Amino acid sequence: MNLTQREAREKYLELTREIQTGILQTALDKFPIHSIPMTLKRVEDDGTILFFSKKDSEHNQNIQIDAESQIVFSDPSSHQFLIVYGETIISHDRELIKELYSNIDNNWFENEEDTSITILKFQPFEGQYWDTKSNALSNMIKLGFTALTGTPTDIGTKGKLTL
């Protein structure tokens, strides 16, 4: 089911807020594509995703050259998947860093005053989603039926998001 505008944004917000960790991909024109797991700090109502990142990281360097980026979200346990293409900018907003900083961030940074902290602001343009969480048990039965009979069954929704 392809979604546009309001419906697409609602589906996008639902999935990103539930999954919480994505694989950020930068330098999309090079192979292998640079990929790194990132935990979301916040998803804004307009769809912008905020991450913390070190200012000298490879992905920050890639974003300075080309802001085009992609995030892959995957939650096999709930049967939800999302790939989103967009643009990422680097921010040094100290007030926002202080607002978003938590103790878990001490694993990567000295403290909230650490000058190496930047905020990556990912703005989505479009994406694709696969969502079968609402009927996971039913899908298991359907997959079993297909395995036994060879007859395909409908196992959830998928589509393009135009944001």
Side-chain angles (χ1 to χ4, degrees), residues 22-42:
I23 304 294
L24 174 66
Q25 298 179 318
T26 59
L28 302 179
D29 61 339
K30 297 180 182 174
F31 294 99
I33 294 171
H34 177 72
S35 302
I36 185 166
M38 301 286 279
T39 301
L40 287 65
K41 293 307 288 180
R42 183 165 70 203

Side-chain angles (χ1 to χ4, degrees), residues 72-153:
V72 178
F73 294 92
S74 173
D75 186 359
S77 66
S78 68
H79 305 280
Q80 298 181 102
F81 308 92
L82 173 67
I83 299 173
V84 188
Y85 171 77
E87 197 170 80
T88 302
I89 63 165
I90 299 169
S91 169
H92 301 274
D93 183 334
R94 299 307 307 169
E95 290 302 313
L96 186 55
I97 290 169
K98 287 180 183 182
E99 177 185 335
L100 297 175
Y101 198 89
S102 67
N103 287 338
I104 194 124
D105 297 314
N106 291 334
N107 287 304
W108 298 278
F109 306 103
E110 291 293 320
N111 55 48
E112 67 184 36
E113 301 296 329
D114 187 332
T115 59
S116 73
I117 303 173
T118 63
I119 298 174
L120 300 184
K121 294 182 175 185
F122 175 84
Q123 181 63 51
F125 297 149
E126 67 178 56
Q128 293 179 301
Y129 73 98
W130 298 262
D131 183 359
T132 59
K133 102 176 162 161
S134 58
N135 35 357
L137 179 58
S138 172
N139 287 339
M140 297 265 298
I141 293 168
K142 289 177 182 180
L143 287 171
F145 176 80
T146 299
L148 289 173
T149 67
T151 304
T153 54

